[in-house]
Amino acid sequence: MKHLLKMSNMTKEQIIKLLDIADQLKYDLKHGIEHKHLAGKSLGMIFQKSSTRTRVSFEVGMYQLGGQALFLSSRDLQIGRGEPIEDTARVLSRYLDGIMIRTYAQQEVDDLATYGSIPIINGLTDFAHPCQVLADLMTIREYKGSFEGLKMTYIGDGNNMANSLIVGGLLVGMRVSIACPLGYQPSDDIIKYASKYGDNFTLTDCVKTAVCGADVVITDVWASMGQEGEQDIRKKAFAGYQINNTLLSVANDGAMVLHCLPAHRGEEISAETLESHQTEIFDEAENRLHAQKAVLCMTMSDKFN
Ligand code: CP
Ligand code: NVA
């Protein structure tokens, strides 16, 4: 796998291989078995937005794999003063073995891949959050054993998480149902992509219809990074789009609840539901580390290709 730019660039086989590697790395870490697959390699981590999980999981992941990670805030890079992404890509390719970038426009991530000569990993854009979705898929398989016959539901904003969950969920063979208010639906490209999957994909504005018979129920914040100014208007638009125990009563018995975090209790998820599903939600957060190590191995080490 050359880059990880968005989920639709992956095949089902690549996702399953990545999840198998992540599971093995998790098992081995817990049993004290080290793997220095990236010894001597350096990952640059460009952040134009805040992060807790992505930054720490990639930095610790690189260390555990025998390499090093450089935190590059866009405020300190010349990018912040207008140096073009094309030049940044070509320069950083001379020093680094890979770049993970968190930014606004997907085009910047795609441009880094076009102009650079090293693997590029999307650590979140306004359009996609593939690293998170790989950790989510890992968590779902860990709890449910396989993806066979599962229905995955996402409630809330048709944002980066929704876009990536739809593609990832469909690729591994789950049925995917989405409930978003009108005006806050996933990207047109994603809806077009999903329509190829026929009845396996449904999009509605009715939360109850979407959650009915679900095995996995997922949500995310109503206002993503960069949308802070829309918080009040979004709170009104998303009223009723909360995952809570009443809504979950129509899901299948033993349904999982996932949230990429950070969460806003009392908005997209009730405090009670978050706490009663904290085991899987914090396993999901932990799995960022194992899934990200698998992403690093598959993009930056020849041994995995
Ligand atoms: N879920 C996630 O990407 O978290 P951070 O914003 O803390 O990296
Ligand atoms: N949709 C959220 C995800 C945060 C991990 C955001 O983009 O801010």
Side-chain angles (χ1 to χ4, degrees):
M1 192 165 88
K2 175 105 178 78
H3 305 289
L4 175 59
L5 307 179
K6 53 186 178 183
M7 288 306 298
S8 57
N9 288 349
M10 291 188 81
T11 61
K12 177 179 182 176
E13 291 65 35
Q14 279 176 322
I15 296 175
I16 299 299
K17 179 177 170 185
L18 192 143
L19 300 184
D20 290 345
I21 295 168
D23 284 349
Q24 189 66 50
L25 289 169
K26 180 173 184 174
Y27 179 90
D28 287 352
L29 183 69
K30 291 192 188 291
H31 291 81
I33 302 164
E34 295 188 345
H35 293 289
K36 303 294 178 192
H37 296 305
L38 300 180
K41 300 215 169 176
S42 301
L43 175 77
M45 306 190 302
I46 303 176
F47 281 95
Q48 308 230 29
K49 293 176 175 174
S50 307
S51 171
T52 297
R53 282 143 287 268
T54 305
R55 178 186 173 176
V56 177
S57 59
F58 271 102
E59 192 161 337
V60 171
M62 275 305 286
Y63 172 76
Q64 290 179 356
L65 290 167
Q68 65 163 347
L70 288 77
F71 174 71
L72 306 169
S73 161
S74 59
R75 268 181 314 196
D76 305 325
L77 291 173
Q78 295 287 10
I79 284 184
R81 295 182 56 249
E83 184 168 17
I85 204 88
E86 300 92 292
D87 294 355
T88 306
R90 284 176 285 190
V91 171
L92 292 181
S93 294
R94 305 286 180 113
Y95 307 134
L96 299 167
D97 303 286
I99 295 174
M100 189 275 293
I101 177 167
R102 166 167 288 196
T103 188
Y104 294 88
Q106 178 70 26
Q107 191 61 50
E108 280 185 30
V109 180
D110 296 344
D111 285 349
L112 269 185
T114 304
Y115 292 102
S117 54
I118 54 176
I120 305 299
I121 299 165
N122 180 349
L124 180 145
T125 60
D126 293 342
F127 174 72
H129 198 1
C131 289
Q132 178 69 51
V133 165
L134 290 166
D136 290 5
L137 295 176
M138 177 180 178
T139 312
I140 293 168
R141 199 174 69 159
E142 201 168 68
Y143 274 74
K144 299 287 183 190
S146 83
F147 298 112
E148 192 79 33
L150 295 184
K151 175 177 174 181
M152 183 182 83
T153 296
Y154 174 89
I155 301 291
D157 188 19
N159 60 13
N160 42 17
M161 277 303 298
N163 289 338
S164 296
L165 280 167
I166 292 169
V167 179
L170 290 170
L171 272 172
V172 297
M174 287 189 283
R175 281 176 295 137
V176 176
S177 72
I178 306 290
C180 303
L182 287 173
Y184 294 94
Q185 292 179 329
S187 108
D188 289 344
D189 286 353
I190 297 291
I191 295 175
K192 197 167 153 209
Y193 172 96
S195 65
K196 287 186 300 196
Y197 286 82
D199 293 344
N200 275 359
F201 175 70
T202 53
L203 175 63
T204 172
D205 60 1
C206 174
V207 289
K208 222 166 164 187
T209 307
V211 172
C212 190
D215 302 289
V216 187
V217 184
I218 309 180
T219 190
D220 184 19
V221 290
W222 293 339
S224 286
M225 289 181 275
Q227 298 171 333
E228 289 79 3
E230 297 174 30
Q231 226 138 19
D232 290 343
I233 189 170
R234 282 173 170 265
K235 257 189 202 172
K236 288 195 192 105
F238 288 97
Y241 283 80
Q242 184 189 74
I243 299 188
N244 53 41
N245 290 357
T246 311
L247 180 60
L248 287 176
S249 66
V250 300
N252 277 347
D253 286 346
M256 301 171 68
V257 172
L258 296 179
H259 192 308
C260 63
L261 303 175
H264 289 181
R265 289 167 172 78
E267 293 187 16
E268 76 277 2
I269 188 165
S270 70
E272 186 188 21
T273 296
L274 192 147
E275 291 308 327
S276 54
H277 288 272
Q278 54 95 12
T279 311
E280 64 255 32
I281 290 172
F282 290 100
D283 277 345
E284 175 191 15
E286 177 190 328
N287 284 342
R288 290 296 303 276
L289 171 64
H290 312 299
Q292 264 59 126
K293 284 168 73 179
V295 170
L296 290 166
C297 286
M298 277 185 68
T299 51
M300 288 171 64
S301 167
D302 294 338
K303 277 186 248 167
F304 293 85
N305 285 316

